Every structure is written in structure tokens, then in C-alpha cells.
Amino acid sequence: MPELPDLLYICDYLRRHVLGRTITAAELRQPVVLRNAVGDPLGHALKSLTITGIHIHGPFLRLTVSATLELVINLMLAGQIQHQRKPDRALGHICVSLHLDDGTRLNICDQQKMAKVYLVHTGNDAVIPGFRTLGINVFSPDFTPEELRRRAAEHPRMQVRALINDRTILDSIGNAYADEILFAAQIHPKTLAGTLHPDEWVRLYGAIRDVMSDGVRAVADARQPIHIKVRDHMRVRNRKGSPCPRCGSTIRREGVRGYDVFFCPTCQPARRRVFIDWKQPPPANSPDTLRSDTDQPA
Ligand SMILES: [Zn+2]
């Protein structure tokens, strides 16, 4: 799932390369991804319109294509957006392809066909699930330590991992960066929000700002094509079995509410009594029942 640093990079790229381009044709290859609130077939509705605005809103990428129409994209678990500059360089699993007047194409690809593309009249975003219920953006000036605690105070029984992942509380933290944030803050993912100490709130807030800012820089510095998800800079995410970069303990993976969570059992000790002692190595024959991919739909 692209997260905020990925989406900021995609948005910046598209503003430089696609903004102002006119759509000459729109192909809908996988009708299951389209939510058409306009009625006109996609190809008919978009033909000859110019992309005049590109924005992100939580996990959504919004393309303004006229004074009255918007294309809102949620790439979900495995969707990718590709700017195809050469005819023979298309990614596989194209669901929607916008042909642009400079000969390039903007492709929305998803092997799982879970991505969603909404064609809506401007202002009619109420038809997009989750669009109007998004929480605060972590780069907003209104996102302060006090605001984080105020929002969390409404959910004292929520595990902190689920809390920072909840799009109605914070709009922009997915699974990968949630793990990195809790590692930086040295907080166990299952800690209940209501039991965090004042110094832990300070660490958590600082980690959110720092990890997300570092992520933005790392993704920008990698200069990859926009369909590549940059994760090399991550310290615990998808690093089960590797040594913790802080203390050398073995990074573990656990399921939290059905999703994979990566953490260091030494740097992020459990506050509550837990049934599994994560500091012990797993039995050699223990089945690893968790899913190997690690992201969740937004
Ligand atoms: Zn550690």
C-alpha cells in the first residue's frame, strides 16, 4: 500500500509530468475497479479533458479533470500507478489506462483488482467511502502533541498500533510506517493507548513527525519510478529475523488484529503480561501462520 511519503512523491512527479496534459482516450480494462458516480462511460466522460489539478487526501490521489469532474484513486493493498513513457513498457495487470496527448499513458495497475477508481462530480466526494471521515494529517500545523493526546483520549482501550493506523484518527499512517514509528518511539505495538506515560506520548509524537519526514526524504532521494514502493530505508518493517539496528536482538513479527507487525522485543518491551515471551526464540517447528505480505487496505 503506498503510504504518505510514497503518495507525496507520486503527487510531485505527476505535477511535473502529467499536469496540463489532455486525455485523448481512457481504457477501462477491469470494470470491477471503477466506481462511476457520473453515469457516462469512463472513456466518453474523460475524452479531451485536461488534467488541471493533482492532490492527495489521506490515501486518495485526486486528479481534477475539468471544472466539474474528478478522478479519485485509492490504490489499496497492491495497486500501482505507472507513468508509461514508451509503448513497450507497460506494467502488467492494467485496470485503467489514460492515454495522454504527449503519447505517454497513466496506468492504474493491480493484480488483485482491489484498487478503486472513482469518477465523481466535483464536491460529490461523499460517495467515496472513507473520504470525508479522515483524521488529521501528521504534517498539518494543527497536529500537535496535545492534539494527538486529545484524539487518543477518546480510545483508551485501543492498542497504540491500531490507534496510529486508524485513518479516522490520523489520515496518513499505514502498516509499514506504523511499525517504524513505534520502533523509533520504543513502544510495544500492543500497548493500550490509555496506559502510555507522558514521556511515551512525547516520544510517540516526535517519532511520528521524524519517521514520516525521514520517509519523505528517503523516497524522494531514491528517485525510483512512481510504481516502485521504496522500503529500503526501513529498520524493522519486513525484517523478521534480522538483528535490531539499535540493540542487536532479533526482529520479530506478530499479528495484531489480523495484520503483521514487526518490532524489537528488547527495545519495545511489552507492558502487559503477554502469553508469548517474544524474547525467546521460536520453536524450530513452529508453523508461521501469519500472512507474508504485510499491508492492509486503507
Ligand atoms: Zn532492539
Side-chain angles (χ1 to χ4, degrees):
M1 174 174 62
E3 296 205 27
L4 179 61
D6 309 304
L7 287 169
L8 286 169
Y9 178 69
I10 291 170
C11 188
D12 177 63
Y13 174 93
L14 293 179
R15 284 176 176 166
R16 287 185 284 115
H17 296 277
V18 169
L19 191 66
R21 299 256 71 99
T22 296
I23 298 165
T24 56
E27 279 181 68
L28 177 60
R29 298 195 192 174
Q30 295 293 347
V32 68
V33 306
L34 181 67
R35 298 289 182 272
N36 189 336
V38 168
D40 258 4
L42 188 76
H44 188 257
L46 294 182
K47 189 169 168 49
S48 301
L49 298 183
T50 297
I51 299 170
T52 57
I54 299 171
H55 299 90
I56 58 171
H57 180 64
F60 301 100
L61 181 66
R62 289 171 56 197
L63 304 184
T64 306
V65 287
S66 75
T68 58
L69 277 186
E70 286 189 359
L71 208 55
V72 179
I73 300 158
N74 187 347
L75 293 168
M76 304 290 284
L77 181 71
Q80 296 168 292
I81 187 158
Q82 180 199 20
H83 187 213
Q84 183 194 341
R85 305 175 79 113
K86 294 184 177 165
D88 59 346
R89 291 295 171 89
L91 287 185
H93 308 288
I94 293 176
C95 300
V96 173
S97 180
L98 305 181
H99 302 207
L100 305 177
D101 62 347
D102 62 352
T104 67
R105 296 183 181 188
L106 202 56
N107 299 326
I108 293 138
C109 310
D110 189 352
Q111 184 172 11
Q112 301 184 10
K113 304 189 196 79
M114 285 170 60
K116 295 285 178 293
V117 177
Y118 302 89
L119 178 64
V120 297
H121 288 296
T122 304
N124 188 29
D125 42 38
V127 301
I128 303 172
F131 197 89
R132 289 195 176 174
T133 54
L134 283 173
I136 193 166
N137 184 279
V138 298
F139 291 138
S140 157
D142 296 332
F143 181 62
T144 60
E146 297 72 31
E147 181 61 19
L148 175 63
R149 289 193 69 168
R150 189 189 70 74
R151 286 171 180 260
E154 297 167 18
H155 311 279
R157 299 286 303 163
M158 216 164 167
Q159 295 176 355
V160 65
R161 174 58 157 66
L163 180 109
I164 63 172
N165 236 187
D166 188 320
R167 298 279 187 182
T168 67
I169 298 171
L170 304 176
D171 82 345
S172 29
I173 298 174
N175 283 304
Y177 282 95
D179 283 352
E180 295 296 305
I181 286 165
L182 293 179
F183 175 72
Q186 297 184 246
I187 296 171
H188 189 277
K190 287 192 169 181
T191 311
L192 298 184
T195 68
L196 284 180
H197 302 143
D199 64 312
E200 290 175 312
W201 282 112
V202 171
R203 292 209 306 269
L204 179 60
Y205 176 81
I208 291 173
R209 297 293 290 250
D210 291 349
V211 167
M212 297 308 279
S213 300
D214 290 349
V216 170
R217 264 192 301 277
V219 173
D221 288 349
R223 304 174 75 89
Q224 290 287 334
I226 55 172
H227 60 272
I228 303 281
K229 202 161 62 172
V230 176
R231 294 288 183 267
D232 294 347
H233 57 290
M234 299 205 153
R235 301 198 288 169
V236 290
R237 185 66 179 176
N238 286 333
R239 298 204 188 280
K240 178 188 169 210
S242 299
C244 166
R246 190 189 285 123
C247 75
S249 298
T250 302
I251 300 295
R252 305 300 300 261
R253 182 177 67 182
E254 186 182 2
V256 174
R257 302 175 83 201
Y259 298 106
D260 289 350
V261 166
F262 296 80
F263 67 103
C264 170
T266 304
C267 296
Q268 298 166 262
R271 162 104 20 101
R272 295 184 294 158
R273 182 175 162 273
V274 290
F275 295 105
I276 302 170
D277 183 354
W278 289 103
K279 292 183 184 176
Q280 297 300 317
N285 61 349
S286 82
D288 200 345
T289 54
L290 292 167
R291 296 180 304 137
S292 60
D293 192 13
T294 47
D295 287 334
Q296 72 183 90

